[in-house]
Amino acid sequence: MNETELETYNPWTVVNLVFSHLAEIGLHPTLGTDAAVGDAGDPSEPAAALLRALGIAPALEGDARMPERRRQHLAALRAAVMDEP
């Protein structure tokens, strides 16, 4: 994948990162309806909007660069273990 191709990322990964950070600092993020604050809604769309603002396409399959990285890593492992060129 070259630099001119579209970068993608899973918006739920962003939600998980943010929720984990908030929990670590003692806050209690929730998904869906919370009787105390009303309908909290689905956080994936705001996360997707954040990704779009950063020039990254939201995609449920995640980072489109990962399959190529995985292929390269496996090829390096095969070369190291099986003495393949």
Side-chain angles (χ1 to χ4, degrees), residues 5 30 34 36 38 41 43 46 50 55 59 80-81:
E5 293 184 54
T30 61
D34 182 339
L50 173 62
V81 172

Side-chain angles (χ1 to χ4, degrees), residues 25-77:
I25 62 172
L27 298 175
H28 306 285
T30 61
L31 288 173
T33 302
D34 182 339
V37 296
D39 187 7
D42 178 357
S44 66
E45 188 50 43
L50 173 62
L51 289 172
R52 285 187 204 98
L54 296 172
I56 301 169
L60 290 180
E61 63 273 1
D63 187 344
R65 298 169 297 176
M66 292 309 293
E68 178 59 22
R69 287 182 186 159
R70 187 177 310 113
R71 187 196 64 73
Q72 290 174 356
H73 181 71
L74 290 173
L77 288 174

Side-chain angles (χ1 to χ4, degrees), residues 1-44:
M1 180 170 204
N2 64 45
E3 292 297 318
T4 61
E5 293 184 54
L6 187 63
E7 291 184 348
T8 62
Y9 208 72
N10 188 326
W12 282 103
T13 303
V14 175
V15 171
N16 184 51
L17 175 70
V18 170
F19 274 46
S20 296
H21 174 72
L22 293 174
E24 285 174 6
I25 62 172
L27 298 175
H28 306 285
T30 61
L31 288 173
T33 302
D34 182 339
V37 296
D39 187 7
D42 178 357
S44 66

